[in-house]
């Protein structure tokens, strides 16, 4: 096997990306403090052509060199919006017809492997603070709670890793 060169990957230009059809999925970051996590989410959002990333509360916004280090320019291609209050973002998404899923460990949460992402629906996934998770007031306003199954001694995943897992699963359901 031979690794492909960058020129063989047929990547979209930034302008082509912006003009392309998007996956009807928005990631909402609720008070995410790590700029590396923010940049990583942008990069994953670009890879799956997500509609947008919503940055809320203390979550930093572009332009920012620390976000750029992991986003590698995806912060310039992926649409993003900032909200002071995550609840404002959730309410705006609901008004726009999105099913809002919170990624959190809650009573009655749906296991990600059992969650059905329907092709003709628009989704938003809310991912929270690295230590505190998603605010309870935000959890209360979401349509469904989704939990990523875990089998080790830890009970949480890195924000960017959790986002990547959820984006992959949602993308597969929405696109198939």
């Amino acid at each position: 096997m031979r690794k492909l060169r960058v020129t063989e990957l047929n990547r979209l230009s930034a302008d082509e990306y912006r003009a392309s059809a998007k996956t009807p999925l928005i990631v909402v970051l609720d008070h995410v403090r790590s700029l590396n996590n923010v940049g990583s989410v942008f990069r994953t959002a670009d890879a799956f052509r997500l509609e947008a990333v919503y940055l809320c509360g203390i979550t930093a916004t572009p332009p920012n060199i620390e976000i750029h280090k992991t986003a590698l320019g995806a912060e310039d291609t992926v649409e993003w919006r900032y909200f002071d209050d995550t609840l404002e973002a959730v309410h705006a998404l609901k008004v726009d017809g999105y099913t809002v899923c919170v990624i959190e460990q809650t009573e009655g949460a749906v296991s990600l492997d059992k969650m059905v992402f329907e092709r003709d629906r628009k989704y938003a996934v809310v991912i929270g603070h690295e230590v505190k998770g998603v605010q309870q007031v935000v959890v209360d306003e979401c349509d469904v709670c989704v939990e990523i199954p875990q089998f080790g001694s830890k009970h949480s995943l890195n924000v960017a890793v959790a986002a990547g897992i959820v984006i992959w699963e949602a993308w597969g359901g929405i696109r198939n």
Side-chain angles (χ1 to χ4, degrees), residues 28-167:
V28 179
L29 298 180
D30 178 31
H31 291 275
V32 171
R33 64 184 178 182
S34 165
L35 302 175
N36 291 323
N37 281 331
V38 174
S40 227
V41 168
F42 268 104
R43 196 160 158 192
T44 304
D46 176 279
F48 291 94
R49 281 197 225 167
L50 301 192
E51 280 188 24
V53 174
Y54 286 5
L55 309 166
C56 305
I58 67 166
T59 308
T61 62
N64 184 300
I65 191 64
E66 294 300 316
I67 291 173
H68 181 74
K69 283 181 183 178
T70 49
L72 296 178
E75 75 277 25
D76 298 325
T77 56
V78 175
E79 183 179 322
W80 62 272
R81 286 181 65 185
Y82 175 78
F83 293 85
D84 283 326
D85 184 1
T86 309
L87 280 177
E88 182 186 342
V90 168
H91 292 149
L93 287 160
K94 287 180 152 197
V95 166
D96 287 341
Y98 285 82
T99 298
V100 182
C101 308
V102 61
I103 309 306
E104 192 57 85
Q105 296 165 330
T106 67
E107 297 171 343
V110 176
S111 182
L112 181 59
D113 60 322
K114 305 282 189 259
M115 177 68 186
V116 177
F117 291 95
E118 298 175 22
R119 188 176 181 157
D120 296 327
R121 294 182 77 176
K122 301 186 297 185
Y123 292 92
V125 294
V126 182
I127 299 173
H129 184 274
E130 290 85 346
V131 175
K132 299 174 185 176
V134 177
Q135 302 171 77
Q136 183 64 53
V137 295
V138 174
V139 171
D140 294 342
E141 292 297 313
C142 291
D143 298 307
V144 62
C145 295
V146 179
E147 182 176 355
I148 300 170
Q150 298 170 56
F151 307 100
S153 65
K154 303 300 175 196
H155 298 285
S156 66
L157 293 167
N158 171 275
V159 168
V161 171
I165 291 168
V166 172
I167 289 167

